[in-house]
């Protein structure tokens, strides 16, 4: 089991959160609390960089959906970047790859 870390950085287009470690039942509340505490403006893009995420269960997927809902409610967008293969597979199986913007990395958002 790998400890979850969340690192936040402000970019020109909005906040970027680097999520690393295990996103599961024990840690998903941390992500939900962190994300819903962000102040988003209309037109911004909340970027969730997942390259360091080692594991994601259904609670983790729910936390990603909470982030999407929070961004949408603020008139902002959300993008997932550097999604690990194991998580991408889950997103595809349940059709969430159709509702999330998915980018290979966070470079475009960081400019």
């Amino acid at each position: 089991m790998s400890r979850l870390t969340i690192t936040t950085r402000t970019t020109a287009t909005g906040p970027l959160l680097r999520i690393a470690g295990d996103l599961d039942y024990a840690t998903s509340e941390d992500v939900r609390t962190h994300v819903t505490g962000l102040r988003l403006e209309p037109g911004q893009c909340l970027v969730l960089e997942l390259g360091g995420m080692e594991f994601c269960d259904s609670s983790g997927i729910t936390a990603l959906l909470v982030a999407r809902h929070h961004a949408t409610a603020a008139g902002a967008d959300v993008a997932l970047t550097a999604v690990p293969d194991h998580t991408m597979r889950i997103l595809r199986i349940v059709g969430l790859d159709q509702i999330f913007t998915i980018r290979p990395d966070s470079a475009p958002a960081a400019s």
Side-chain angles (χ1 to χ4, degrees):
M1 190 156 166
S2 179
R3 188 169 87 75
L4 181 80
T5 60
I6 305 167
T7 308
T8 306
R9 184 167 60 106
T10 302
T11 72
T13 58
L16 182 145
L17 271 62
R18 284 194 171 98
I19 299 172
D22 292 345
L23 180 52
D24 58 15
Y25 178 77
T27 61
S28 61
E29 183 62 31
D30 295 339
V31 172
R32 289 193 301 268
T33 300
H34 197 91
V35 165
T36 57
L38 292 173
R39 183 172 177 187
L40 297 171
E41 300 293 331
Q44 284 187 317
C45 183
L46 169 61
V47 175
L48 303 177
E49 185 181 286
L50 307 178
M53 195 169 65
E54 297 173 19
F55 176 79
C56 184
D57 69 5
S58 60
S59 299
I61 297 296
T62 300
L64 299 178
L65 288 168
V66 166
R68 182 179 183 276
H69 177 74
H70 180 67
T72 303
D77 194 11
V78 65
L80 307 180
T81 65
V83 180
D85 290 340
H86 54 84
T87 303
M88 194 64 213
R89 182 174 178 267
I90 294 168
L91 294 175
R92 282 190 188 113
I93 288 170
V94 297
L96 294 177
D97 62 325
Q98 301 300 308
I99 68 159
F100 280 105
T101 299
I102 299 175
R103 300 182 190 147
D105 60 46
S106 58
S111 57

